[in-house]
mmCIF file of all heavy atoms in Angstrom:
data_model
loop_
_atom_site.group_PDB
_atom_site.id
_atom_site.type_symbol
_atom_site.label_atom_id
_atom_site.label_comp_id
_atom_site.label_asym_id
_atom_site.label_seq_id
_atom_site.Cartn_x
_atom_site.Cartn_y
_atom_site.Cartn_z
ATOM 1 N N MET A 435 -46.627 265.519 27.839
ATOM 2 C CA MET A 435 -46.008 265.964 26.584
ATOM 3 C C MET A 435 -44.610 266.535 26.842
ATOM 4 O O MET A 435 -43.700 266.377 26.020
ATOM 5 C CB MET A 435 -46.886 267.006 25.901
ATOM 6 C CG MET A 435 -48.188 266.463 25.325
ATOM 7 S SD MET A 435 -47.930 265.140 24.107
ATOM 8 C CE MET A 435 -48.443 263.710 25.069
ATOM 9 N N HIS A 436 -44.441 267.184 27.984
ATOM 10 C CA HIS A 436 -43.126 267.711 28.350
ATOM 11 C C HIS A 436 -42.123 266.565 28.484
ATOM 12 O O HIS A 436 -40.970 266.671 28.043
ATOM 13 C CB HIS A 436 -43.241 268.485 29.667
ATOM 14 C CG HIS A 436 -41.990 269.179 30.097
ATOM 15 N ND1 HIS A 436 -41.235 269.971 29.253
ATOM 16 C CD2 HIS A 436 -41.337 269.193 31.301
ATOM 17 C CE1 HIS A 436 -40.192 270.451 29.905
ATOM 18 N NE2 HIS A 436 -40.221 269.984 31.149
ATOM 19 N N ASN A 437 -42.562 265.470 29.070
ATOM 20 C CA ASN A 437 -41.693 264.291 29.174
ATOM 21 C C ASN A 437 -41.330 263.748 27.792
ATOM 22 O O ASN A 437 -40.173 263.402 27.514
ATOM 23 C CB ASN A 437 -42.368 263.211 30.002
ATOM 24 C CG ASN A 437 -42.314 263.484 31.495
ATOM 25 O OD1 ASN A 437 -41.729 264.479 31.932
ATOM 26 N ND2 ASN A 437 -42.934 262.628 32.283
ATOM 27 N N TYR A 438 -42.344 263.629 26.932
ATOM 28 C CA TYR A 438 -42.083 263.131 25.584
ATOM 29 C C TYR A 438 -41.103 264.037 24.845
ATOM 30 O O TYR A 438 -40.168 263.563 24.203
ATOM 31 C CB TYR A 438 -43.394 263.041 24.782
ATOM 32 C CG TYR A 438 -44.147 261.752 24.951
ATOM 33 C CD1 TYR A 438 -45.382 261.722 25.596
ATOM 34 C CD2 TYR A 438 -43.648 260.558 24.431
ATOM 35 C CE1 TYR A 438 -46.096 260.539 25.732
ATOM 36 C CE2 TYR A 438 -44.354 259.372 24.560
ATOM 37 C CZ TYR A 438 -45.573 259.373 25.216
ATOM 38 O OH TYR A 438 -46.274 258.204 25.356
ATOM 39 N N ARG A 439 -41.318 265.335 24.905
ATOM 40 C CA ARG A 439 -40.450 266.258 24.169
ATOM 41 C C ARG A 439 -38.999 266.117 24.609
ATOM 42 O O ARG A 439 -38.087 266.020 23.775
ATOM 43 C CB ARG A 439 -40.933 267.707 24.384
ATOM 44 C CG ARG A 439 -42.169 268.090 23.582
ATOM 45 C CD ARG A 439 -42.408 269.582 23.639
ATOM 46 N NE ARG A 439 -42.723 270.054 24.972
ATOM 47 C CZ ARG A 439 -43.954 270.189 25.453
ATOM 48 N NH1 ARG A 439 -44.997 269.880 24.677
ATOM 49 N NH2 ARG A 439 -44.174 270.631 26.674
ATOM 50 N N ARG A 440 -38.781 266.098 25.916
ATOM 51 C CA ARG A 440 -37.409 266.022 26.414
ATOM 52 C C ARG A 440 -36.763 264.682 26.091
ATOM 53 O O ARG A 440 -35.595 264.620 25.662
ATOM 54 C CB ARG A 440 -37.394 266.266 27.929
ATOM 55 C CG ARG A 440 -37.731 267.683 28.321
ATOM 56 C CD ARG A 440 -37.631 267.867 29.824
ATOM 57 N NE ARG A 440 -38.680 267.136 30.527
ATOM 58 C CZ ARG A 440 -38.709 266.984 31.861
ATOM 59 N NH1 ARG A 440 -37.740 267.495 32.613
ATOM 60 N NH2 ARG A 440 -39.694 266.331 32.439
ATOM 61 N N PHE A 441 -37.520 263.616 26.303
ATOM 62 C CA PHE A 441 -36.944 262.287 26.085
ATOM 63 C C PHE A 441 -36.538 262.098 24.633
ATOM 64 O O PHE A 441 -35.404 261.675 24.326
ATOM 65 C CB PHE A 441 -37.945 261.205 26.502
ATOM 66 C CG PHE A 441 -37.424 259.807 26.355
ATOM 67 C CD1 PHE A 441 -36.662 259.226 27.357
ATOM 68 C CD2 PHE A 441 -37.674 259.065 25.211
ATOM 69 C CE1 PHE A 441 -36.160 257.934 27.216
ATOM 70 C CE2 PHE A 441 -37.186 257.779 25.052
ATOM 71 C CZ PHE A 441 -36.426 257.215 26.069
ATOM 72 N N TYR A 442 -37.457 262.380 23.695
ATOM 73 C CA TYR A 442 -37.161 262.093 22.294
ATOM 74 C C TYR A 442 -36.277 263.157 21.641
ATOM 75 O O TYR A 442 -35.563 262.852 20.681
ATOM 76 C CB TYR A 442 -38.462 261.875 21.515
ATOM 77 C CG TYR A 442 -39.027 260.508 21.826
ATOM 78 C CD1 TYR A 442 -40.078 260.349 22.725
ATOM 79 C CD2 TYR A 442 -38.456 259.366 21.267
ATOM 80 C CE1 TYR A 442 -40.554 259.092 23.051
ATOM 81 C CE2 TYR A 442 -38.926 258.100 21.581
ATOM 82 C CZ TYR A 442 -39.972 257.968 22.474
ATOM 83 O OH TYR A 442 -40.431 256.723 22.801
ATOM 84 N N MET A 443 -36.274 264.373 22.148
ATOM 85 C CA MET A 443 -35.305 265.353 21.650
ATOM 86 C C MET A 443 -33.881 264.905 21.993
ATOM 87 O O MET A 443 -32.969 264.975 21.170
ATOM 88 C CB MET A 443 -35.582 266.729 22.254
ATOM 89 C CG MET A 443 -34.652 267.824 21.744
ATOM 90 S SD MET A 443 -34.896 268.139 19.976
ATOM 91 C CE MET A 443 -36.485 268.965 20.032
ATOM 92 N N ARG A 444 -33.726 264.434 23.210
ATOM 93 C CA ARG A 444 -32.409 263.948 23.632
ATOM 94 C C ARG A 444 -31.990 262.739 22.797
ATOM 95 O O ARG A 444 -30.834 262.626 22.374
ATOM 96 C CB ARG A 444 -32.468 263.606 25.121
ATOM 97 C CG ARG A 444 -31.144 263.246 25.758
ATOM 98 C CD ARG A 444 -31.283 263.203 27.278
ATOM 99 N NE ARG A 444 -30.015 262.867 27.909
ATOM 100 C CZ ARG A 444 -29.641 261.632 28.216
ATOM 101 N NH1 ARG A 444 -30.465 260.615 27.955
ATOM 102 N NH2 ARG A 444 -28.473 261.405 28.780
ATOM 103 N N LYS A 445 -32.930 261.824 22.565
ATOM 104 C CA LYS A 445 -32.619 260.647 21.756
ATOM 105 C C LYS A 445 -32.264 261.038 20.326
ATOM 106 O O LYS A 445 -31.331 260.488 19.718
ATOM 107 C CB LYS A 445 -33.810 259.684 21.751
ATOM 108 C CG LYS A 445 -34.068 258.992 23.080
ATOM 109 C CD LYS A 445 -32.970 258.007 23.400
ATOM 110 C CE LYS A 445 -33.263 257.234 24.676
ATOM 111 N NZ LYS A 445 -32.159 256.308 25.022
ATOM 112 N N ALA A 446 -33.028 261.978 19.779
ATOM 113 C CA ALA A 446 -32.816 262.370 18.392
ATOM 114 C C ALA A 446 -31.460 263.038 18.187
ATOM 115 O O ALA A 446 -30.811 262.845 17.148
ATOM 116 C CB ALA A 446 -33.926 263.310 17.937
ATOM 117 N N LEU A 447 -31.008 263.809 19.171
ATOM 118 C CA LEU A 447 -29.763 264.562 19.023
ATOM 119 C C LEU A 447 -28.533 263.773 19.442
ATOM 120 O O LEU A 447 -27.466 263.897 18.828
ATOM 121 C CB LEU A 447 -29.848 265.859 19.838
ATOM 122 C CG LEU A 447 -30.883 266.880 19.362
ATOM 123 C CD1 LEU A 447 -30.909 268.079 20.307
ATOM 124 C CD2 LEU A 447 -30.610 267.325 17.931
ATOM 125 N N LEU A 448 -28.687 262.959 20.496
ATOM 126 C CA LEU A 448 -27.513 262.344 21.104
ATOM 127 C C LEU A 448 -27.393 260.837 20.907
ATOM 128 O O LEU A 448 -26.292 260.284 21.037
ATOM 129 C CB LEU A 448 -27.478 262.650 22.612
ATOM 130 C CG LEU A 448 -27.474 264.136 22.999
ATOM 131 C CD1 LEU A 448 -27.512 264.282 24.516
ATOM 132 C CD2 LEU A 448 -26.259 264.851 22.416
ATOM 133 N N HIS A 449 -28.516 260.162 20.616
ATOM 134 C CA HIS A 449 -28.479 258.702 20.624
ATOM 135 C C HIS A 449 -28.763 258.072 19.261
ATOM 136 O O HIS A 449 -27.911 257.364 18.711
ATOM 137 C CB HIS A 449 -29.476 258.166 21.653
ATOM 138 C CG HIS A 449 -29.098 258.482 23.064
ATOM 139 N ND1 HIS A 449 -29.866 258.112 24.141
ATOM 140 C CD2 HIS A 449 -28.031 259.138 23.579
ATOM 141 C CE1 HIS A 449 -29.282 258.525 25.259
ATOM 142 N NE2 HIS A 449 -28.188 259.152 24.941
ATOM 143 N N TYR A 450 -29.948 258.283 18.730
ATOM 144 C CA TYR A 450 -30.383 257.528 17.558
ATOM 145 C C TYR A 450 -29.416 257.616 16.374
ATOM 146 O O TYR A 450 -29.122 256.592 15.737
ATOM 147 C CB TYR A 450 -31.776 257.965 17.121
ATOM 148 C CG TYR A 450 -32.890 257.565 18.069
ATOM 149 C CD1 TYR A 450 -34.180 258.033 17.890
ATOM 150 C CD2 TYR A 450 -32.661 256.695 19.137
ATOM 151 C CE1 TYR A 450 -35.214 257.671 18.743
ATOM 152 C CE2 TYR A 450 -33.683 256.329 20.000
ATOM 153 C CZ TYR A 450 -34.957 256.820 19.802
ATOM 154 O OH TYR A 450 -35.974 256.453 20.649
ATOM 155 N N PRO A 451 -28.928 258.802 16.012
ATOM 156 C CA PRO A 451 -28.046 258.846 14.833
ATOM 157 C C PRO A 451 -26.668 258.240 15.078
ATOM 158 O O PRO A 451 -25.944 257.947 14.113
ATOM 159 C CB PRO A 451 -27.924 260.356 14.545
ATOM 160 C CG PRO A 451 -29.019 261.007 15.315
ATOM 161 C CD PRO A 451 -29.227 260.149 16.526
ATOM 162 N N TRP A 452 -26.276 258.055 16.335
ATOM 163 C CA TRP A 452 -24.896 257.704 16.627
ATOM 164 C C TRP A 452 -24.718 256.329 17.259
ATOM 165 O O TRP A 452 -23.592 255.827 17.317
ATOM 166 C CB TRP A 452 -24.282 258.752 17.568
ATOM 167 C CG TRP A 452 -24.734 260.139 17.242
ATOM 168 C CD1 TRP A 452 -25.527 260.950 18.003
ATOM 169 C CD2 TRP A 452 -24.436 260.882 16.054
ATOM 170 N NE1 TRP A 452 -25.745 262.138 17.368
ATOM 171 C CE2 TRP A 452 -25.086 262.132 16.161
ATOM 172 C CE3 TRP A 452 -23.692 260.616 14.903
ATOM 173 C CZ2 TRP A 452 -25.013 263.097 15.183
ATOM 174 C CZ3 TRP A 452 -23.621 261.581 13.917
ATOM 175 C CH2 TRP A 452 -24.266 262.809 14.056
ATOM 176 N N ARG A 453 -25.789 255.732 17.749
ATOM 177 C CA ARG A 453 -25.658 254.457 18.447
ATOM 178 C C ARG A 453 -25.802 253.297 17.483
ATOM 179 O O ARG A 453 -26.883 253.019 16.973
ATOM 180 C CB ARG A 453 -26.704 254.343 19.565
ATOM 181 C CG ARG A 453 -26.375 255.195 20.768
ATOM 182 C CD ARG A 453 -27.236 254.812 21.949
ATOM 183 N NE ARG A 453 -26.794 255.481 23.168
ATOM 184 C CZ ARG A 453 -27.396 255.342 24.340
ATOM 185 N NH1 ARG A 453 -28.440 254.547 24.462
ATOM 186 N NH2 ARG A 453 -26.951 255.981 25.404
ATOM 187 N N GLY A 454 -24.710 252.619 17.254
ATOM 188 C CA GLY A 454 -24.774 251.433 16.430
ATOM 189 C C GLY A 454 -24.806 251.754 14.949
ATOM 190 O O GLY A 454 -24.869 252.903 14.512
ATOM 191 N N THR A 455 -24.780 250.702 14.144
ATOM 192 C CA THR A 455 -24.834 250.827 12.693
ATOM 193 C C THR A 455 -25.828 249.801 12.159
ATOM 194 O O THR A 455 -26.393 249.003 12.916
ATOM 195 C CB THR A 455 -23.449 250.568 12.074
ATOM 196 O OG1 THR A 455 -23.014 249.243 12.436
ATOM 197 C CG2 THR A 455 -22.434 251.598 12.545
ATOM 198 N N GLY A 456 -26.035 249.828 10.857
ATOM 199 C CA GLY A 456 -26.866 248.819 10.225
ATOM 200 C C GLY A 456 -28.281 248.791 10.759
ATOM 201 O O GLY A 456 -28.965 249.822 10.840
ATOM 202 N N PHE A 457 -28.743 247.591 11.133
ATOM 203 C CA PHE A 457 -30.125 247.410 11.551
ATOM 204 C C PHE A 457 -30.468 248.266 12.763
ATOM 205 O O PHE A 457 -31.532 248.873 12.822
ATOM 206 C CB PHE A 457 -30.387 245.933 11.857
ATOM 207 C CG PHE A 457 -31.803 245.658 12.295
ATOM 208 C CD1 PHE A 457 -32.819 245.540 11.362
ATOM 209 C CD2 PHE A 457 -32.126 245.523 13.649
ATOM 210 C CE1 PHE A 457 -34.128 245.297 11.767
ATOM 211 C CE2 PHE A 457 -33.419 245.287 14.057
ATOM 212 C CZ PHE A 457 -34.434 245.164 13.101
ATOM 213 N N ARG A 458 -29.582 248.314 13.758
ATOM 214 C CA ARG A 458 -29.877 249.083 14.975
ATOM 215 C C ARG A 458 -30.138 250.548 14.640
ATOM 216 O O ARG A 458 -31.110 251.130 15.103
ATOM 217 C CB ARG A 458 -28.743 248.944 15.993
ATOM 218 C CG ARG A 458 -28.798 249.941 17.143
ATOM 219 C CD ARG A 458 -27.925 249.548 18.291
ATOM 220 N NE ARG A 458 -28.563 248.490 19.079
ATOM 221 C CZ ARG A 458 -29.441 248.726 20.051
ATOM 222 N NH1 ARG A 458 -29.797 249.965 20.345
ATOM 223 N NH2 ARG A 458 -29.970 247.733 20.731
ATOM 224 N N ARG A 459 -29.271 251.137 13.872
ATOM 225 C CA ARG A 459 -29.436 252.548 13.536
ATOM 226 C C ARG A 459 -30.701 252.761 12.707
ATOM 227 O O ARG A 459 -31.452 253.712 12.915
ATOM 228 C CB ARG A 459 -28.207 253.042 12.776
ATOM 229 C CG ARG A 459 -28.211 254.541 12.481
ATOM 230 C CD ARG A 459 -26.861 254.969 11.912
ATOM 231 N NE ARG A 459 -26.822 256.407 11.694
ATOM 232 C CZ ARG A 459 -27.201 256.987 10.560
ATOM 233 N NH1 ARG A 459 -27.651 256.233 9.555
ATOM 234 N NH2 ARG A 459 -27.142 258.302 10.420
ATOM 235 N N ARG A 460 -30.927 251.876 11.746
ATOM 236 C CA ARG A 460 -32.115 252.004 10.896
ATOM 237 C C ARG A 460 -33.400 251.894 11.711
ATOM 238 O O ARG A 460 -34.370 252.629 11.496
ATOM 239 C CB ARG A 460 -32.086 250.931 9.804
ATOM 240 C CG ARG A 460 -33.265 250.972 8.838
ATOM 241 C CD ARG A 460 -32.970 250.176 7.582
ATOM 242 N NE ARG A 460 -32.815 248.761 7.845
ATOM 243 C CZ ARG A 460 -33.812 247.873 7.743
ATOM 244 N NH1 ARG A 460 -35.036 248.278 7.393
ATOM 245 N NH2 ARG A 460 -33.596 246.596 7.970
ATOM 246 N N TYR A 461 -33.405 250.972 12.675
ATOM 247 C CA TYR A 461 -34.605 250.779 13.486
ATOM 248 C C TYR A 461 -34.879 252.010 14.350
ATOM 249 O O TYR A 461 -36.013 252.492 14.433
ATOM 250 C CB TYR A 461 -34.435 249.543 14.363
ATOM 251 C CG TYR A 461 -35.710 249.091 15.047
ATOM 252 C CD1 TYR A 461 -36.564 248.179 14.431
ATOM 253 C CD2 TYR A 461 -36.070 249.567 16.308
ATOM 254 C CE1 TYR A 461 -37.730 247.754 15.040
ATOM 255 C CE2 TYR A 461 -37.236 249.153 16.927
ATOM 256 C CZ TYR A 461 -38.061 248.247 16.291
ATOM 257 O OH TYR A 461 -39.218 247.851 16.893
ATOM 258 N N LEU A 462 -33.858 252.511 15.010
ATOM 259 C CA LEU A 462 -34.034 253.665 15.884
ATOM 260 C C LEU A 462 -34.466 254.900 15.103
ATOM 261 O O LEU A 462 -35.360 255.643 15.539
ATOM 262 C CB LEU A 462 -32.746 253.938 16.655
ATOM 263 C CG LEU A 462 -32.361 252.895 17.703
ATOM 264 C CD1 LEU A 462 -30.982 253.194 18.286
ATOM 265 C CD2 LEU A 462 -33.400 252.817 18.816
ATOM 266 N N LEU A 463 -33.864 255.127 13.963
ATOM 267 C CA LEU A 463 -34.282 256.261 13.150
ATOM 268 C C LEU A 463 -35.692 256.062 12.605
ATOM 269 O O LEU A 463 -36.446 257.029 12.428
ATOM 270 C CB LEU A 463 -33.293 256.472 11.996
ATOM 271 C CG LEU A 463 -31.908 256.981 12.414
ATOM 272 C CD1 LEU A 463 -30.987 257.078 11.193
ATOM 273 C CD2 LEU A 463 -32.001 258.333 13.119
ATOM 274 N N GLY A 464 -36.064 254.804 12.360
ATOM 275 C CA GLY A 464 -37.436 254.522 11.936
ATOM 276 C C GLY A 464 -38.441 254.837 13.029
ATOM 277 O O GLY A 464 -39.536 255.353 12.766
ATOM 278 N N CYS A 465 -38.084 254.534 14.280
ATOM 279 C CA CYS A 465 -38.944 254.878 15.413
ATOM 280 C C CYS A 465 -39.086 256.388 15.532
ATOM 281 O O CYS A 465 -40.185 256.907 15.777
ATOM 282 C CB CYS A 465 -38.373 254.301 16.707
ATOM 283 S SG CYS A 465 -38.441 252.498 16.815
ATOM 284 N N LEU A 466 -37.971 257.097 15.359
ATOM 285 C CA LEU A 466 -38.014 258.561 15.404
ATOM 286 C C LEU A 466 -38.907 259.104 14.287
ATOM 287 O O LEU A 466 -39.692 260.038 14.494
ATOM 288 C CB LEU A 466 -36.608 259.121 15.288
ATOM 289 C CG LEU A 466 -36.482 260.649 15.341
ATOM 290 C CD1 LEU A 466 -37.002 261.190 16.659
ATOM 291 C CD2 LEU A 466 -35.025 261.059 15.123
ATOM 292 N N LYS A 467 -38.806 258.505 13.116
ATOM 293 C CA LYS A 467 -39.647 258.912 11.991
ATOM 294 C C LYS A 467 -41.128 258.748 12.329
ATOM 295 O O LYS A 467 -41.952 259.613 12.003
ATOM 296 C CB LYS A 467 -39.299 258.080 10.756
ATOM 297 C CG LYS A 467 -40.206 258.327 9.558
ATOM 298 C CD LYS A 467 -39.889 257.361 8.424
ATOM 299 C CE LYS A 467 -40.886 257.516 7.281
ATOM 300 N NZ LYS A 467 -40.602 256.534 6.184
ATOM 301 N N ALA A 468 -41.464 257.647 13.001
ATOM 302 C CA ALA A 468 -42.861 257.409 13.367
ATOM 303 C C ALA A 468 -43.368 258.498 14.309
ATOM 304 O O ALA A 468 -44.491 259.010 14.147
ATOM 305 C CB ALA A 468 -43.006 256.033 14.011
ATOM 306 N N PHE A 469 -42.558 258.856 15.304
ATOM 307 C CA PHE A 469 -42.961 259.913 16.231
ATOM 308 C C PHE A 469 -43.096 261.254 15.517
ATOM 309 O O PHE A 469 -44.057 261.999 15.739
ATOM 310 C CB PHE A 469 -41.952 260.020 17.378
ATOM 311 C CG PHE A 469 -42.219 259.083 18.509
ATOM 312 C CD1 PHE A 469 -41.494 257.906 18.641
ATOM 313 C CD2 PHE A 469 -43.202 259.349 19.450
ATOM 314 C CE1 PHE A 469 -41.746 257.028 19.680
ATOM 315 C CE2 PHE A 469 -43.462 258.479 20.485
ATOM 316 C CZ PHE A 469 -42.730 257.314 20.606
ATOM 317 N N LEU A 470 -42.126 261.577 14.663
ATOM 318 C CA LEU A 470 -42.173 262.859 13.964
ATOM 319 C C LEU A 470 -43.379 262.940 13.029
ATOM 320 O O LEU A 470 -44.044 263.978 12.954
ATOM 321 C CB LEU A 470 -40.874 263.060 13.174
ATOM 322 C CG LEU A 470 -39.615 263.301 14.002
ATOM 323 C CD1 LEU A 470 -38.390 263.363 13.098
ATOM 324 C CD2 LEU A 470 -39.734 264.576 14.830
#
Side-chain angles (χ1 to χ4, degrees):
M435 290 302 106
H436 185 48
N437 283 358
Y438 273 113
R439 283 191 295 267
R440 291 183 291 171
F441 182 85
Y442 284 101
M443 182 65 72
R444 187 169 180 268
K445 290 291 184 182
L447 294 177
L448 302 177
H449 293 179
Y450 290 172
W452 322 113
R453 286 193 171 178
T455 59
F457 180 81
R458 167 164 282 275
R459 185 171 183 271
R460 181 163 65 94
Y461 191 90
L462 292 173
L463 290 177
C465 291
L466 181 61
K467 174 186 174 182
F469 274 101
L470 290 175

